[in-house]
């Protein structure tokens, strides 16, 4: 008896392919012999539904145990906590990588996990397993039934094709990718599986051509999927980190050095900048700077305890960052604070111009700074609109440290030494070295936010060394990292800085987008820190040229949300909003006053013309009896029901002898009035006759 609904040897071949790809070849061959042997061996177990339930429960427990084992084996829980609770981009990247690795291994082991359940059906006399076996909800419903119906004979689950699909999909997660024979074998097994399912009304040639077309399309699709995976390496970590923890870590930043894909594409507006003295806005707004480079991360912006509270003036909205310094210029910056504290307050790092002296109109409870020029708001609203006062030459950064600000990774030493020797900058002044580096990057390098698949490391070089010695094209992180380390190699203290470039003007406001995120250097020249941007200026038009054609729509929505956020977080002039909001309200009131009389007349007219017969049972003859009784002084009170009214009349008047006829009429009236089915014609006539009898008796009674 054949219990698996797949062609002979097909599941065995799929298991062999899976074992070859996953490294379990001997195990997979043994599993294939066991399953395919069920077609030859006549031995069968008489397994009932409850037996399949137990086997499925064991399979479920095995699946969960395997998932827990794999997840804990890759330090998944600790990494997941790091991912959810925050941490640097490096830690978040490792958490994403470890979690993804555990999921891939679990997917690769699925044929092992479900093998026992499939083997049980293969050696049973049951071709279709009831669906209730797989569903705890269905089991509970059946348990509550006193006499549950048996499962229909032609409804259920056959694990043959399902297990075949699991084996084929699991084979797509190899231990060592890149096997050129895998896809032809995979396509052959798919065609084999579809052969018995082909529609017979089509010729073999048509069917074969269609299958071949699908397989060829799938081959090119898998190549595209590989490129998507490459893009995911660039975007995945950052996107997931932003989704789970939409903050900026001033202690660590992860670069995209050595990765394939496009960098910085979003046109979302993150900052709005206005100059207060009609001067151009500063070209760079810095969020943080870093000292230590360990591929691919820059770190060293300071621990939490390195931050100290900034001084504030009596108005509690002016924060003095450089006491004693006199500011020269000011800009107004609007930005969102993306992070949330446990108490629900917002926090984040401010983007500020070089030489910041003080901040005005910043509505926050706690503002702190550290030795590397980071200014952080720990308790504030979701949107802050503040005035940043600055002057040239002033800085919050601490003086250079010979050990930290001149440190170079050993892995980059050879390439840096070669470039410094080629430039011949040994013994020159810092300004001469800066001019040499500017010319070097401008003449020999090209900006590119896209590194195609042809981008490969040569001669076992690091990504940064490959950028300096071979590739010579890349994005701003390459230029800033290379310039920082080259300056240090030449003996000039330097730090790696990140923030935004300001250049897109819209009216009086500069719009700063996510794609304007930038990296540059801080260089110690003439006893003070100054900005040095080694990236060729072509990066700005290169990024702007990739703006989506729908960007105007997103800008429109961003402006609406910005104005709403200003109102929500108290950063707008409320009286202006009240004036504009009052105008349509006043207009509506005037229109209503002009039309109020007309509306009232129409309503009164509609009420007066409403027919009484529109109510169900309104033509009941009981109301005639009630009116006649009222004329005889037997009034029904407003709060009395018809039955309560009659009970009172029985006690107060000699009408008890009418009880039978009145009760019959009242019962029919209630049904006529409230029963959706109404009365039959004979009952309707009985109601009419009963009412006539009551009217005759009331009229025969003398009036008071």
């Amino acid at each position: 008896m054949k219990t698996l609904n797949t062609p002979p040897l097909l599941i065995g071949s799929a298991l062999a392919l899976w074992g070859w790809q996953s490294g379990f070849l001997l195990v997979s061959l043994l599993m294939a012999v066991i399953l395919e042997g069920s077609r030859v061996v006549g031995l069968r177990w008489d397994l009932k539904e409850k037996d399949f339930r137990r086997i499925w429960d064991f399979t479920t427990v095995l699946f969960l145990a395997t998932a827990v084992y794999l997840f804990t084996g890759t330090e998944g829980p600790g990494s997941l906590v790091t991912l959810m609770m925050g941490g640097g981009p490096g830690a978040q990247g490792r958490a994403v990588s470890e979690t993804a690795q555990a999921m891939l291994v679990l997917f690769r082991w699925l044929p092992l996990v479900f093998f026992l359940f499939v083997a049980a059906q293969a050696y049973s006399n049951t071709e279709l397993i009831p669906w209730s076996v797989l569903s705890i909800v269905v089991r509970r419903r059946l348990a509550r039934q006193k006499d549950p119906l048996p499962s229909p004979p032609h409804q259920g689950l056959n694990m043959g094709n399902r297990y075949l699909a699991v084996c084929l999909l699991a084979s797509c997660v190899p231990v060592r990718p890149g096997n050129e024979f895998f896809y032809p074998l995979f396509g052959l097994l798919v065609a084999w599986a579809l052969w018995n399912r082909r529609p017979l009304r089509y010729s073999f040639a048509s069917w074969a051509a269609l299958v071949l077309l699908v397989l060829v399309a799938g081959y090119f699709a898998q190549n595209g999927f590989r490129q998507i995976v490459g893009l995911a390496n660039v975007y995945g970590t950052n996107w997931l980190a932003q989704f789970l923890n939409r903050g900026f870590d001033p202690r660590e930043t992860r670069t995209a050095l050595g990765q394939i894909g496009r960098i910085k594409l979003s046109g979302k507006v993150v900052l709005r900048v206005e100059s207060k003295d009609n001067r151009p806005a500063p070209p760079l707004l810095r969020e943080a700077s870093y000292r230590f480079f360990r591929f691919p991360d820059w770190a060293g912006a300071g621990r939490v305890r390195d931050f100290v509270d900034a001084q504030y003036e009596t108005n509690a909205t002016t924060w003095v960052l450089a006491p004693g310094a006199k500011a020269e210029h000011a800009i107004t910056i609007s930005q969102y604070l993306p992070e949330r504290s446990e108490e629900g307050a917002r926090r984040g790092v401010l983007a500020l111009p070089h030489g910041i002296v003080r901040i005005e109109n910043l509505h926050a409870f706690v503002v702190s700074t550290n030795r590397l020029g980071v200014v952080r708001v720990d308790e504030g609203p979701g949107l802050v609109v503040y005035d940043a006062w600055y002057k040239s030459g002033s800085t919050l950064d601490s003086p250079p440290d010979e050990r930290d600000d001149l440190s170079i990774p050993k892995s980059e030493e050879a390439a840096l030494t070669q470039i410094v020797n080629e430039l011949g900058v040994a013994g020159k002044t810092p300004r001469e070295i800066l001019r040499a580096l500017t010319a070097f990057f401008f003449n020999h390098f090209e900006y590119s936010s896209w590194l195609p698949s042809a981008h490969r490391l040569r001669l076992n070089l690091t990504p940064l060394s490959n950028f300096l010695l071979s590739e010579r094209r890349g994005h701003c992180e390459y230029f800033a990292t290379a310039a920082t380390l080259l300056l240090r190699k030449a003996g000039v203290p330097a730090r790696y800085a990140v923030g935004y470039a300001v250049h897109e003007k819209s009216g009086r406001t500069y719009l700063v987008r996510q794609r304007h995120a930038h990296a540059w250097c801080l260089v110690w020249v003439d006893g003070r820190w100054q900005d040095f941007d080694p990236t060729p200026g072509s990066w700005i038009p290169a990024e702007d040229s990739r703006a989506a054609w729908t960007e105007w729509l997103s800008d429109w929505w961003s402006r609406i949300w910005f104005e709403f956020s200003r109102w929500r977080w108290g950063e707008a002039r409320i009286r202006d909003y009240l004036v504009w909001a009052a105008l349509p309200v006043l207009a509506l009131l005037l229109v209503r006053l002009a039309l109020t009389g007309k509306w009232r007349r129409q309503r009164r007219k509609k009420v007066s013309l409403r027919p009484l017969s529109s109510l169900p049972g309104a033509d009941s003859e009981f109301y005639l009896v009630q009116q006649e009784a009222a004329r005889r002084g037997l009034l029904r009170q407003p709060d009395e029901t018809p039955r309560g009214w009659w009970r009172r009349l029985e006690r107060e008047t000699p009408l008890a002898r009418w009880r039978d006829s009145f009760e019959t009429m009242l019962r029919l009236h209630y049904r006529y009035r409230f029963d959706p089915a109404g009365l039959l014609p004979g009952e309707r006539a009985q109601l009419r006759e009963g009412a006539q009898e009551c009217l005759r008796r009331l009229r025969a009674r003398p009036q008071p």
Side-chain angles (χ1 to χ4, degrees), residues 34-273:
I34 293 175
L35 292 183
E36 294 296 342
S38 66
R39 305 177 187 274
V40 180
V41 177
L43 179 64
R44 289 292 183 272
W45 282 286
D46 186 16
L47 298 178
K48 305 299 183 182
E49 182 175 342
K50 62 179 181 180
D51 300 318
F52 281 110
R53 290 181 181 180
R54 293 168 182 169
I55 299 174
W56 177 252
D57 292 341
F58 174 80
T59 302
T60 304
V61 173
L62 180 62
F63 173 81
L64 296 176
T66 304
V68 172
Y69 170 76
L70 294 174
F71 191 64
T72 55
T74 58
E75 299 182 0
S79 299
L80 186 60
V81 170
T82 300
L83 184 64
M84 299 295 294
M85 299 302 295
Q92 290 175 336
R94 289 188 292 272
V96 173
S97 177
E98 291 169 357
T99 304
Q101 183 66 24
M103 294 178 63
L104 288 176
V105 175
L106 176 62
F107 196 77
R108 188 187 301 143
W109 286 11
L110 287 182
L112 283 171
V113 173
F114 293 104
F115 173 75
L116 180 61
F117 189 72
V118 178
Q121 183 179 14
Y123 285 91
S124 71
N125 53 11
T126 303
E127 187 174 357
L128 294 176
I129 300 175
W131 289 102
S132 60
V133 170
L134 308 182
S135 174
I136 297 179
V137 176
V138 176
R139 292 187 200 176
R140 291 181 177 178
R141 290 180 178 177
L142 293 177
R144 288 195 296 264
Q145 296 179 6
K146 295 182 179 180
D147 297 316
L149 297 176
S151 300
H154 300 292
Q155 291 186 12
L157 174 71
N158 190 293
M159 289 297 297
N161 285 325
R162 277 81 176 176
Y163 191 68
L164 172 65
V166 168
C167 294
L168 291 177
L169 292 177
S171 68
C172 298
V173 189
V175 176
R176 291 179 293 274
N179 192 326
E180 59 184 5
F181 297 105
F182 165 71
Y183 190 78
L185 294 175
F186 180 85
L188 180 62
L189 292 180
V190 171
W192 187 0
L194 295 176
W195 170 254
N196 288 340
R197 302 284 181 174
R198 73 187 189 280
L200 299 179
R201 63 179 180 273
Y202 297 106
S203 64
F204 170 77
S206 301
W207 178 85
L210 182 60
V211 171
L212 182 62
L213 178 63
V214 171
L215 293 177
V216 171
Y219 175 77
F220 290 103
Q222 74 162 348
N223 291 332
F225 180 74
R226 290 178 182 175
Q227 295 184 1
I228 294 176
V229 172
L231 291 175
N233 289 332
V234 176
Y235 293 112
T237 301
N238 295 333
W239 177 84
L240 190 57
Q242 290 177 3
F243 181 77
L244 295 176
N245 181 25
R246 299 180 182 180
F248 176 82
D249 190 351
R251 296 166 292 174
E252 181 183 13
T253 182
R254 163 157 288 201
T255 67
L257 301 183
Q259 297 185 2
I260 299 172
R262 192 181 302 280
I263 312 298
K264 298 185 309 182
L265 287 178
S266 175
K268 179 182 178 181
V269 177
V270 294
L271 299 174
R272 297 176 185 272
V273 181

Side-chain angles (χ1 to χ4, degrees), residues 315-319 321 333 335 337 350 352 359-367 375-377 379-381 383-387 571:
N315 60 6
T317 60
T318 299
W319 304 85
L321 306 178
I333 302 175
Q335 74 172 93
L337 300 180
L350 300 183
L352 297 170
I359 302 175
E360 295 181 355
N361 300 319
L362 177 59
H363 298 273
F365 292 101
V366 180
V367 176
V375 179
R376 187 179 66 187
V377 174
E379 294 185 32
L383 173 70
V384 289
V385 181
Y386 54 91
D387 298 329
E571 294 291 350

Side-chain angles (χ1 to χ4, degrees), residues 289 291 300-303 306-307 369-374 396-399 404 495:
S289 60
R291 284 177 165 176
R303 297 176 295 275
D306 293 331
F307 284 86
T369 63
N370 72 351
R371 297 175 297 136
L372 298 182
V374 179
L396 302 178
D397 304 89
S398 62
D404 297 339
R495 295 173 181 172

